[in-house]
């Protein structure tokens, strides 16, 4: 049986002057659009404030997968669920109350996501699996697009897949996903793929999404 695969392109490296248009270019072939929210505190980069992000969510023709790289995630994450994001992911490194925040995201009708940076192990967060709809394993240090996939994260992806077991939790990878790396990430157990520069630096973003999906879909469960 083939595992269900989702491609969630990141617009971090798209044309910021026309994000609604950029999202439309990949809409027919993508599952969700991945929106990176950075506050220049949790990571050394800034993307959108809440008002700008809300406008993107309102105008997006695809459901939005918000990836919050912000401190104070406990306060901010439920707000992103409230404005209609389909999925809201917070970092374990940026929260004081994981369980409560995951519950708050779900209570607003969004899927709850829990992310770990490369130096954070996943095992100690296994206890939250009943409250989690998606684990996100960062395969680069968060902050910037266009970095190289960290192959030493493969073991962590495998561990996360074992933690998930038969639960319907998605396993997302983010950072350096491309034609060269998506198959090894799939083989390790990932089923949901963020791809930023691979998609939006390609001459045909939609064709690249389709290519990535084919490559990811070729590994049996
Ligand atoms: C990095 C972001 C990623 C980024 C991925 O901190 O979380 O979502 O857009 O970009 P690529 O695919 O270029 O590594
Ligand atoms: Zn991201």
């Amino acid at each position: 049986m083939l595992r269900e695969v989702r491609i969630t392109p990141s617009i971090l490296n798209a044309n910021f002057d026309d994000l609604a248009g950029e999202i439309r270019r990949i809409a027919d072939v993508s599952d969700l659009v991945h929106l990176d929210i950075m506050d220049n505190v949790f990571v050394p980069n800034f993307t959108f404030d809440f008002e700008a992000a809300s406008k993107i969510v309102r105008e997006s023709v695809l459901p939005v997968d918000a990836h919050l790289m912000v401190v104070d995630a406990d306060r901010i994450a439920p707000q992103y669920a409230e404005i209609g994001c389909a999925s809201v992911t917070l970092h374990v490194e940026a929260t004081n109350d994981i369980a409560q925040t995951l519950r708050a995201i779900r209570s607003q009708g969004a899927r709850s996501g829990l992310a770990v940076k490369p130096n954070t192990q996943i095992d100690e967060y296994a206890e939250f699996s009943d409250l989690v709809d998606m684990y996100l394993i960062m395969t680069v240090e968060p902050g910037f697009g266009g970095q190289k996939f960290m192959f030493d994260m493969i073991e962590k992806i495998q561990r996360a897949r074992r933690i998930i077991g038969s639960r319907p939790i998605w396993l997302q990878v983010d950072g350096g996903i491309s034609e060269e790396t998506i198959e090894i990430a799939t083989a390790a157990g990932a089923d949901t793929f963020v791809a930023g520069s691979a998609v939006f630096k390609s001459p045909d973003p939609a064709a690249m999404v389709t290519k990535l999906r084919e490559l990811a879909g070729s590994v049996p469960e």
Side-chain angles (χ1 to χ4, degrees), residues 133-152:
D133 296 308
M134 180 170 81
Y135 281 113
L136 166 51
I137 308 296
M138 289 304 300
T139 43
V140 298
E141 280 299 337
F144 301 93
Q147 303 181 75
K148 278 198 167 52
F149 180 83
M150 296 170 67
F151 284 93
D152 50 351

Side-chain angles (χ1 to χ4, degrees), residues 18-221:
D18 180 23
L19 285 177
E22 293 283 74
I23 295 170
R24 278 196 300 275
R25 291 173 83 187
I26 46 111
D28 287 349
V29 290
S30 303
D31 296 275
L32 299 97
V33 60
H34 182 87
L35 184 62
D36 290 300
I37 306 296
M38 305 185 185
D39 65 354
N40 207 17
V41 180
F42 184 71
V43 288
N45 194 4
F46 181 86
T47 53
F48 311 104
D49 61 19
F50 187 66
E51 197 185 331
S54 303
K55 182 169 183 284
I56 297 167
V57 174
R58 268 198 315 275
E59 293 178 355
S60 174
V61 292
L62 275 173
V64 173
D65 168 36
H67 175 195
L68 305 183
M69 286 159 278
V70 299
V71 293
D72 201 7
D74 299 323
R75 184 179 61 82
I76 293 169
Q79 298 176 350
Y80 276 85
E82 201 179 339
I83 59 169
C85 293
S87 174
V88 179
T89 298
L90 65 137
H91 270 266
V92 299
E93 303 89 356
T95 161
N96 291 315
D97 195 337
I98 294 177
Q100 184 186 305
T101 303
L102 292 171
R103 283 197 193 96
I105 293 169
R106 278 186 172 176
S107 74
Q108 295 289 343
R111 297 177 58 89
S112 59
L114 197 56
V116 289
K117 297 206 289 186
N119 286 329
T120 305
Q121 297 310 313
I122 186 73
D123 304 67
E124 62 191 281
Y125 302 100
E127 62 175 293
F128 297 103
S129 290
D130 289 341
L131 299 173
V132 169
D133 296 308
M134 180 170 81
Y135 281 113
L136 166 51
I137 308 296
M138 289 304 300
T139 43
V140 298
E141 280 299 337
F144 301 93
Q147 303 181 75
K148 278 198 167 52
F149 180 83
M150 296 170 67
F151 284 93
D152 50 351
M153 292 300 112
I154 289 296
E155 198 193 329
K156 198 196 289 187
I157 300 167
Q158 292 168 335
R159 296 176 86 87
R161 178 47 66 190
R162 282 200 291 274
I163 288 168
I164 289 170
S166 60
R167 294 182 182 92
I169 300 174
W170 298 356
L171 180 50
Q172 188 175 50
V173 283
D174 182 5
I177 296 296
S178 69
E179 288 174 274
E180 284 74 43
T181 57
I182 195 165
E183 288 167 292
I184 188 169
T186 308
D191 58 15
T192 304
F193 302 90
V194 179
S197 43
V199 169
F200 282 101
K201 292 206 181 299
S202 153
D204 187 341
M208 179 54 70
V209 172
T210 301
K211 180 88 195 286
L212 292 172
R213 188 187 301 283
E214 277 165 16
L215 290 169
S218 60
V219 181
E221 195 166 9

